[in-house]
Amino acid sequence: MLGRKGKRVAAVAAFAVAGSTLLALPAAHAAATPIVIWVDANRLPVMQKVVPATYQGHPVQLVENTDIKTNIATISKDTAPDIFIGVNDWTGGLVANGDIVKLYPTKANKSRLTAGSISAFALGNGQWGMPYAVENVGVVVNRKLVKTLPKTWAAMEKLALAVKTNLKKAGAKDAIALAVPQPDPYHMYPLFSALGGYIFGPNGHGGLDPYSIKVANPTFLKNAPLIDKWNKEGLISSTVTGDIAQKAFVAGHAPFWITGPWQASKDAHGVSTLNSLKFPHSIIALPQIIKGINPKPFIGVQGFFVSKFADQHGVGLAARSFVNAFLTTDSAQKKLALYGGRAPADPFVASAVTDADIRAFGVAGKFGVSIPTVPQMNSVWGPLGDAWVKSTSGAKAIHAVTAFKQAQSIIIKTEQ
Amino acid sequence: MTLLAEQEPAAPAPAAPPKPKKVRTGLASLLARFSGWPATTLKILALGLLDALVISSIIPLVTGRYWLMLAFLIVASLTVNIVFLMPARPSWIPPKYIVPGAIFLVGFSLVPIIYTSIIAFTNYGTGHSLSKVEAIHAIQLSSLTQPANGDAYTTTIAKARSGEYVMLLTSQSTGKSYIGTTKGLTPVPKSLGKRDADGNLVSIPGYTSLTPDQASAISNELQALTVPTANGGIKLQAIDVATDLVTTLKYNPKNDTMVDTTNGTVYVDNGKGSFINPKLTKHQAGYELLPGWKTWVGFKNFTGLITNPLVRGPFLQVLVWNFVFAFMSVLTTFIVGLALALVLNRKLRGQRAYRSILILPYAIPAFLSILVWSALLNDNYGAINTYLNINIPWLTDGTWAKVSILIVNLWLGMPYMFLVCTGALQSIPADLTEAASVDGARPMQSFRKVTLPLLLVAVGPLLVSSFAFNFNNFNLIYLLTGGGPPITNSETIAGQTDILISYTYNLAFTGGKGQQYGLAAAVSILIFFIVASVSLVAFRRTRVLEDVNR
């Protein structure tokens, strides 16, 4: 018979076999393959209202994922989504990694969306995502400090500085003239473009040439000394971070604040930063700084991508038609606009947006340009932000012309 | 020699009647209750559960082809089983304590190190994250283009009696209907078959039409179905929509090239993980096909550190500051920590209260406190400049930024040194210093000649490890200054307070097309060698200190 050691081994083996069959049982019950959609926390409530329980015979599963962009690059097939929400400037990196598949929306699918929002997801000769919302920054104005909205930049500049001086005299230590988070090239882009700056030159086929960097183009260099003037008079400063800008504006210590529609997104109790301000506010676009050049905020377009794993999971056709056909229908776009907290990419449902702030941000983005989708955009953000810091750091600032010329050559050196 | 905790007083043996049975108290008696068959049952249950988990994960690992993970799990669980089921001979007791820790050490320390070393020899990163087979598949899939005047068709899938699937197509532009098979398109006259309200063909005699749900269930098979046309094919894009598509890129397995069928361009494998057009230069449009794939690049990442001007330029400056920062951090925290430990070593009123307050910075999460410090040190809006009415550019001036980093690190690291020195001081017997003062030594002399050497023997290794930790103190640099004010007079992405690891982070993840894991892994290995060699030398020297005692 088995000795003591043998009995123990036998007992362990018996438990092991029993346990493994128990654990394997749930896996045996495979239902119809679900369509898995990854959304971020902000978008989850909206999607729950829009998405049906099943679509073309597949149950639809919404999964909240906090860092979709990083996770999509490193997941395995079993845990991968079939569809996920993203911003249009992810397109370059996703295509370079082969993570998403091309979509072929028909004319009917595209009929309701603006051409700009659709082209925001175009790269090379393909369409890689379908849009549903647009967001861009605008200037939020404290109407208690600013009685009449300035119509020109000169008036706005003078007013901002005058208000800051008065506030400082009244004891507000953190008064800011133009509250814009530094060094954030995304928020600074309206000012950058208003002076003639842009990033990539055209490639002759209607797209952008990622190796033609125009950050320090001649028009911009001609107007760049204005940045030195703003730095000297204290209009903008590199020491203002996003938190400081928000705190100062909310406390009523700044007349103008450059920010985006995420400040109007409501939490569970319907409270947002903008609708809980203690003073009336308006949202306007930045006025022209140089005559003839419109400030162009970056437009980030939010949309849906189909991942390469949809084909591997066997739901490729369903996922594609979900993104191309279902989400671009009138009812889906209306619901997304109503609950989404962003201006819709479908102008026909613009009336569904009831929040005045969101509408105003949409209007402020009239001349906006979509964030370039080429993967080389990744190497632009850092040096561009550094250029702003170098030229607006108060007494130690260098000339903007030098700073942006340096940024241009750093970008050329670091991009591949 | 105990360093930190005081020893617990041994439980006194109670006055028991002279019986051979020992009476145990407290924890010992609780544990004693479990020996014998309860312990054996628990052990069998736990081992059985572990084995069940491993066995049930074999099938998913095999189907997913995770061979290394499978091998590791099997070896680890076999080891655990053998070690814990062996009879309790004394020679088998040490493995019982070592094996669990060793398994976790291999799994969580050794495996990442090996993996990092492997990646350092590849070009893994954005644009090169697939295998070559996957990349070819992705390129071909994405090369399907809708021609300018291509059509879209409303489709119904139907099954022939032979089991073959066909598409019943109605053009969305002309309204004409066709039946599409793997042999081609055949027009269907208006008189044949049934149409729906919009005029789309939905069924034909001789074929059974599928419902959308039925079609969706065989999605993969249907996606492979292509109806060949003059210069491409018609493929399904949704259950009910098919589009004209033209393949532009075809893979030629004989030559290992991609050929553009529209203009004959040949893309060759450049050996570095991409298909390129050899007739164009690197930055011209159409030079490289995306995505690329992961491939071995040998020592290119390492030599790139020397040859790439972006890395070489600021490297010396970053390295020097890195050493200075680590050394000064250890020096300042040690001096202040030791001074406070000495002061609080004697019996003071409120000694415990002082000690608790001084340890607070160590108890607060460093992440949180660094963020608060960066807000406090803000030039124009931070509390320090505002309320002390001074105007020091804490974070915007290069030199002051370095000072701020050292101050914050002093605040964060001093409690650790204080604790360590307190323990070490308490373990030095008091009669040594008494004997020194009897011999006529002044307090400073007795400290320098008696206390300090004995202290350094105990604390030496900790100083070395503190240096190694601060050499790679990414959190502090990233959260406080983000690499510091940008260097204004040269074109580099390094900042004035960048250390090697934060500079690597900027280089590898915010440059190029995205993440460059291969480059980051190579620099990490370089940093490891620097820290390891410094630590080795330093440890040798602390051993010399130990000879003082012998």
Side-chain angles (χ1 to χ4, degrees):
Chain A
M1 265 309 290
L2 293 170
R4 221 176 60 173
K5 185 181 97 177
K7 274 202 209 135
R8 283 192 215 170
V9 173
V12 170
F15 269 114
V17 171
S20 60
T21 44
L22 270 176
L23 285 168
L25 270 177
H29 291 297
T33 331
I35 301 177
V36 177
I37 307 182
W38 274 8
V39 297
D40 57 312
N42 291 336
R43 237 68 58 174
L44 188 60
V46 185
M47 291 300 285
Q48 280 167 340
K49 293 192 175 68
V50 171
V51 150
T54 62
Y55 184 72
Q56 291 184 356
H58 299 277
V60 181
Q61 245 179 36
L62 284 174
V63 174
E64 183 188 329
N65 201 297
T66 42
D67 196 354
I68 299 182
K69 189 173 177 197
T70 319
N71 290 337
I72 201 77
T74 50
I75 34 156
S76 63
K77 179 179 147 199
D78 307 318
T79 49
D82 303 306
I83 300 174
F84 60 96
I85 284 191
V87 191
N88 72 308
D89 62 332
W90 299 0
T91 312
L94 290 171
V95 172
N97 278 336
D99 289 330
I100 52 178
V101 292
K102 237 189 204 176
L103 299 174
Y104 302 90
T106 61
K107 284 204 197 68
N109 298 143
K110 297 193 273 194
S111 60
R112 304 178 58 89
L113 304 166
T114 60
S117 62
I118 294 182
S119 63
F121 286 94
L123 184 62
N125 57 359
Q127 181 73 24
W128 298 92
M130 290 302 277
Y132 81 90
V134 295
E135 63 178 19
N136 55 272
V137 296
V139 183
V140 185
V141 185
N142 180 334
R143 295 311 297 273
K144 199 159 132 209
L145 296 171
V146 177
K147 292 288 187 299
T148 41
L149 291 171
K151 288 213 178 40
T152 63
W153 169 254
M156 186 164 160
E157 189 182 350
K158 215 167 93 175
L159 187 57
L161 290 167
V163 169
K164 178 178 172 187
T165 322
N166 291 340
L167 284 169
K168 277 228 154 110
K169 276 205 209 120
K173 288 201 168 137
D174 62 344
I176 306 176
L178 180 61
V180 47
Q182 280 272 54
D184 190 343
Y186 173 75
H187 284 87
M188 299 300 284
Y189 199 75
L191 290 167
F192 179 67
S193 55
L195 296 176
Y198 58 102
I199 302 184
F200 297 116
N203 70 358
H205 305 298
L208 296 171
D209 180 3
Y211 298 106
S212 157
I213 306 293
K214 297 277 187 238
V215 163
N217 67 74
T219 319
F220 177 76
L221 289 180
K222 197 172 76 166
N223 299 321
L226 279 174
I227 300 180
D228 300 326
K229 173 164 163 272
W230 296 337
N231 173 50
K232 221 151 90 179
E233 63 192 12
L235 184 69
I236 47 177
S237 162
S238 68
T239 55
V240 175
T241 64
D243 289 335
I244 293 178
Q246 178 166 344
K247 213 161 94 129
F249 184 81
V250 168
H253 294 164
F256 302 104
W257 182 30
I258 296 187
T259 187
W262 47 89
Q263 302 292 357
S265 64
K266 303 186 175 64
D267 64 7
H269 307 284
V271 174
S272 75
T273 317
L274 287 183
N275 71 8
S276 59
L277 288 173
K278 293 190 178 51
F279 44 80
H281 68 278
S282 313
I283 301 172
I284 60 172
L286 204 67
Q288 279 191 7
I289 300 179
I290 306 291
K291 190 145 171 277
I293 309 181
N294 279 316
K296 306 175 185 57
F298 264 144
I299 297 190
V301 185
Q302 318 234 326
F304 297 92
F305 297 99
V306 175
S307 81
K308 67 176 178 188
F309 298 101
D311 291 336
Q312 295 176 15
H313 291 160
V315 294
L317 288 177
R320 283 173 176 79
S321 64
F322 192 79
V323 171
N324 280 340
F326 176 78
L327 287 171
T328 55
T329 54
D330 184 27
S331 62
Q333 288 278 323
K334 244 201 200 124
K335 285 201 197 119
L336 287 167
L338 187 58
Y339 303 110
R342 293 286 186 276
D346 175 347
F348 297 96
V349 300
S351 54
V353 177
T354 48
D355 189 325
D357 286 332
I358 307 267
R359 284 178 142 181
F361 274 115
V363 170
K366 184 159 158 219
F367 296 110
V369 291
S370 57
I371 307 179
T373 52
V374 292
Q376 286 78 1
M377 189 65 196
N378 188 56
S379 41
V380 170
W381 299 112
L384 200 56
D386 279 347
W388 278 109
V389 170
K390 284 189 216 174
S391 51
T392 57
S393 48
K396 296 210 168 321
I398 62 175
H399 289 299
V401 171
T402 326
F404 282 89
K405 273 204 188 133
Q406 285 176 354
Q408 172 157 311
S409 59
I410 295 178
I411 296 174
I412 293 177
K413 276 196 242 172
T414 55
E415 67 172 354
Q416 291 176 351
Chain B
M1 203 185 298
T2 55
L3 289 181
L4 293 173
E6 306 162 274
Q7 266 178 324
E8 289 198 46
K19 273 198 185 156
K21 195 160 130 200
K22 244 206 270 187
V23 179
R24 299 189 178 97
T25 57
L27 187 63
S29 80
L30 200 63
L31 285 175
R33 247 183 259 266
F34 268 102
S35 67
W37 66 264
T40 319
T41 322
L42 209 60
K43 188 159 69 171
I44 293 180
L45 275 174
L47 280 176
L49 189 62
L50 178 71
D51 291 340
L53 278 170
V54 172
I55 293 178
S56 65
S57 54
I58 287 183
I59 296 180
L61 284 177
V62 170
T63 50
R65 304 167 73 90
Y66 295 109
W67 305 121
L68 274 176
M69 177 78 154
L70 184 65
F72 176 72
L73 272 182
I74 291 182
V75 168
S77 58
L78 271 177
T79 318
V80 171
N81 276 306
I82 292 175
V83 165
F84 281 94
L85 284 177
M86 284 297 128
R89 251 185 256 125
S91 55
W92 280 99
I93 294 186
K96 287 191 182 173
Y97 286 92
I98 298 177
V99 158
I103 290 179
F104 283 116
L105 176 73
V106 170
F108 290 108
S109 282
L110 214 55
V111 168
I113 292 177
I114 295 177
Y115 188 58
T116 306
S117 315
I118 292 178
I119 299 182
F121 293 99
T122 68
N123 63 351
Y124 184 33
T126 304
H128 298 282
S129 58
L130 301 170
S131 67
K132 186 166 181 183
V133 171
E134 289 172 334
I136 292 174
H137 176 79
I139 293 176
Q140 285 193 296
L141 192 62
S142 65
S143 81
L144 291 168
T145 341
Q146 259 174 315
N149 47 3
D151 207 351
Y153 305 87
T154 310
T155 318
T156 309
I157 305 293
K159 192 169 167 183
R161 258 187 280 262
S162 57
E164 186 196 350
Y165 290 104
V166 299
M167 295 189 217
L168 304 178
L169 304 161
T170 311
S171 159
Q172 288 180 357
S173 55
T174 63
K176 293 211 184 84
S177 299
Y178 307 84
I179 177 169
T181 65
T182 46
K183 297 201 182 51
L185 268 184
T186 320
V188 172
K190 277 215 169 61
S191 51
L192 188 60
K194 287 209 198 61
R195 283 158 178 72
D196 66 3
D198 297 319
N200 297 317
L201 183 64
V202 290
S203 74
I204 276 190
Y207 295 87
T208 343
S209 296
L210 298 179
T211 64
D213 288 8
Q214 287 174 318
S216 191
I218 47 165
S219 178
N220 277 356
E221 211 179 314
L222 293 176
Q223 275 181 282
L225 181 63
T226 313
V227 177
T229 57
N231 46 9
I234 301 177
K235 283 175 85 86
L236 275 177
Q237 289 311 316
I239 290 299
D240 56 352
V241 175
T243 49
D244 266 333
L245 288 172
V246 177
T247 6
T248 48
L249 288 170
K250 269 213 171 67
Y251 179 60
N252 183 344
K254 263 194 297 189
N255 304 353
D256 191 26
T257 54
M258 277 283 187
V259 182
D260 189 333
T261 50
T262 56
N263 55 21
T265 322
V266 176
Y267 295 89
V268 294
D269 178 346
N270 70 349
K272 298 200 206 120
S274 316
F275 281 116
I276 53 145
N277 183 347
K279 299 211 182 94
L280 296 175
T281 59
K282 193 149 190 266
H283 286 175
Q284 283 179 295
Y287 172 73
E288 191 183 354
L289 291 178
L290 287 174
W293 58 93
K294 245 189 300 196
T295 183
W296 300 103
V297 292
F299 283 94
K300 185 165 142 277
N301 286 325
F302 293 96
T303 58
L305 294 174
I306 310 174
T307 57
N308 184 347
L310 265 184
V311 183
R312 208 181 42 202
F315 186 76
L316 197 62
Q317 176 183 345
V318 170
L319 187 67
V320 166
W321 163 241
N322 205 342
F323 269 104
V324 167
F325 161 67
F327 181 73
M328 287 299 293
S329 296
V330 173
L331 190 69
T332 50
T333 51
F334 180 60
I335 289 179
V336 176
L338 178 59
L340 287 171
L342 279 171
V343 164
L344 289 175
N345 203 20
R346 53 208 71 231
K347 292 228 181 312
L348 279 175
R349 222 170 30 158
Q351 181 196 43
R352 288 230 184 99
Y354 290 133
R355 281 212 177 122
S356 317
I357 294 177
L358 285 173
I359 297 178
L360 268 181
Y362 197 48
I364 303 175
F367 220 91
L368 204 63
S369 35
I370 300 173
L371 286 172
V372 172
W373 270 106
S374 78
L376 287 174
L377 289 168
N378 191 304
D379 284 19
N380 293 334
Y381 305 99
I384 294 183
N385 274 358
T386 319
Y387 290 110
L388 293 181
N389 270 320
I390 48 180
N391 218 350
I392 299 180
W394 293 109
L395 298 176
T396 52
D397 176 63
T399 322
W400 279 109
K402 293 180 168 121
V403 169
S404 313
I405 287 193
L406 288 174
I407 291 179
V408 176
N409 213 12
L410 171 63
W411 188 85
L412 288 171
M414 181 275 298
Y416 171 71
M417 287 296 178
F418 170 71
L419 279 174
V420 155
C421 292
T422 306
L425 283 173
Q426 283 175 348
S427 69
I428 297 177
D431 28 335
L432 285 177
T433 39
E434 271 179 31
S437 65
V438 161
D439 280 346
R442 288 192 304 278
M444 198 55 210
Q445 273 181 321
S446 91
F447 172 71
R448 258 193 333 132
K449 298 280 174 70
V450 177
T451 321
L452 197 57
L454 291 172
L455 185 77
L456 281 180
V457 173
V459 166
L462 294 170
L463 292 178
V464 177
S465 68
S466 175
F467 176 84
F469 170 73
N470 278 309
F471 199 85
N472 281 335
N473 199 348
F474 178 78
N475 282 357
L476 178 63
I477 306 290
Y478 189 72
L479 290 174
L480 193 64
T481 59
I487 301 180
T488 50
N489 57 359
S490 76
E491 291 167 358
T492 168
I493 57 174
Q496 304 206 35
T497 55
D498 256 328
I499 57 176
L500 273 179
I501 191 75
S502 68
Y503 180 58
T504 307
Y505 176 75
N506 274 335
L507 193 64
F509 297 129
T510 63
K513 290 201 200 78
Q515 288 78 7
Q516 301 168 63
Y517 298 118
L519 177 65
V523 183
S524 305
I525 293 182
L526 177 73
I527 296 177
F528 165 70
F529 277 121
I530 296 178
V531 175
S533 38
V534 171
S535 305
L536 258 174
V537 169
F539 274 124
R540 285 256 170 80
R541 299 215 52 199
T542 60
R543 241 195 272 151
V544 167
L545 284 171
E546 263 178 54
D547 293 339
V548 166
N549 225 2
R550 297 210 190 116

